[in-house]
DNA sequence: TAGGCCATCTGGTCCT
DNA sequence: AGGACCAGATGGCCTA
């Protein structure tokens, strides 16, 4: 293992350099980050680190908006910057991986839920909080339809006309929901 | 440029 | 003990 793995710029907050020597001609503004400074009890090795990240990235299908938009060398670079920025214990790293996967499963559940709430055809992707609020209002409205035995289509039309009063305390309580429902094909 | 939304990391707590 | 869950902090991206 080399003496140090990263160089950090002292004049630019977010810049690191991989390797055993500072970038040419810029030595005055670069400081070495030693492996020991990242992992105090240095005999820790992560032979499967790259593999684990690859597995996670492969299974994760991350949102494209969260990906680093850059070429391969920059992505590799960002990976090392990511590693450099955090002092690791294997347990902490494993916990982070589990947490990321857990959040991904929650997000996929949100995607499923988004597919079940009424939206305008041209509407952009609902946020998580709006998805929850709309789902709550939608369930309440469907419940009203069931308990009153109303015809769904005419019930929605009535709500569009008179306002939906069955559900209190909801941000999506009236026209927001019923306007979306007006796009639903009931037949 | 501020605010909203989001992903990620992290430490604490609870559960098995 | 280890994993699941949670909430706070942080930083990036996007939009009005």
């Amino acid at each position: 293992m080399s003496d140090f793995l990263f160089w950090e710029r002292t004049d630019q907050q977010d810049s690191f350099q991989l390797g055993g020597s500072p970038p040419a001609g810029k030595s005055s503004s670069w400081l070495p980050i030693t492996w020991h400074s990242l992992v105090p009890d240095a005999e820790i090795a992560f032979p499967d680190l790259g593999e684990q990240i690859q597995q996670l990235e492969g299974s994760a299908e991350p949102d494209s908006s969260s990906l680093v938009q850059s070429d391969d060398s920059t992505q590799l670079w960002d990976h090392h910057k990511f590693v450099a920025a955090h002092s690791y214990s294997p347990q902490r790293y494993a916990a982070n991986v589990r947490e990321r996967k857990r959040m991904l499963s929650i997000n996929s559940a949100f995607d499923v839920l988004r597919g079940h709430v009424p939206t305008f055809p041209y509407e952009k992707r609902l946020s998580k909080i709006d998805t929850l609020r709309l789902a709550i209002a939608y369930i309440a409205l469907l419940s009203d339809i069931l308990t009153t035995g109303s015809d769904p289509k005419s019930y929605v039309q009535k709500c569009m006309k008179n306002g939906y009063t069955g559900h209190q305390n909801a941000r999506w309580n009236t026209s927001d929901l019923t306007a979306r429902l007006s796009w639903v094909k009931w037949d």
Side-chain angles (χ1 to χ4, degrees):
Chain A
M1 185 178 290
S2 62
D3 210 2
F4 51 83
L5 297 176
F6 306 101
W7 289 85
E8 178 184 31
R9 287 198 68 159
T10 57
D11 57 349
Q12 190 176 329
Q13 196 179 6
D14 255 335
S15 197
F16 292 77
Q17 173 69 50
L18 178 66
S21 57
K26 301 196 175 181
S27 56
S28 63
S29 59
W30 291 81
L31 285 175
I33 305 174
T34 66
W35 184 254
H36 286 249
S37 73
L38 297 173
V39 186
D41 296 316
E43 292 305 297
I44 301 173
F46 303 99
D48 60 345
L49 181 65
E51 187 186 339
Q52 284 191 38
I53 287 178
Q54 219 168 8
Q55 283 176 0
L56 180 70
E57 287 173 347
S59 66
E61 299 177 10
D63 190 324
S64 60
S65 65
S66 70
L67 290 174
V68 177
Q69 301 296 323
S70 54
D71 60 23
D72 288 346
S73 62
T74 308
Q75 288 202 16
L76 179 65
W77 182 245
D78 282 327
H79 160 63
H80 287 290
K81 183 174 77 172
F82 169 79
V83 172
H86 301 84
S87 57
Y88 271 102
S89 75
Q91 290 82 4
R92 187 62 261 175
Y93 176 74
N96 289 347
V97 171
R98 285 195 305 273
E99 177 65 9
R100 259 176 277 154
K101 288 191 171 185
R102 193 183 71 85
M103 293 309 298
L104 284 167
S105 76
I106 291 174
N107 288 342
S108 66
F110 266 102
D111 284 337
V112 172
L113 184 58
R114 281 188 189 99
H116 285 82
V117 295
T119 54
F120 297 120
Y122 49 83
E123 190 164 25
K124 68 169 187 170
R125 182 175 178 267
L126 285 173
S127 70
K128 291 178 181 178
I129 186 66
D130 284 344
T131 300
L132 289 178
R133 286 172 172 151
L134 186 56
I136 290 167
Y138 189 34
I139 290 168
L141 183 137
L142 294 177
S143 175
D144 286 346
I145 290 174
L146 281 177
T147 55
T148 60
S150 307
D151 171 60
K153 190 176 181 179
S154 57
Y155 189 88
V156 170
Q157 285 173 343
K158 192 180 78 177
C159 290
M160 288 283 287
K161 198 174 177 182
N162 305 328
Y164 174 50
T165 58
H167 188 60
Q168 312 290 325
N169 192 29
R171 192 178 135 187
W172 300 91
N173 57 355
T174 56
S175 57
D176 286 332
L177 174 61
T178 51
R180 284 170 175 75
L181 285 170
S182 71
W183 287 87
V184 173
K185 289 188 179 297
W186 296 98
D187 304 322

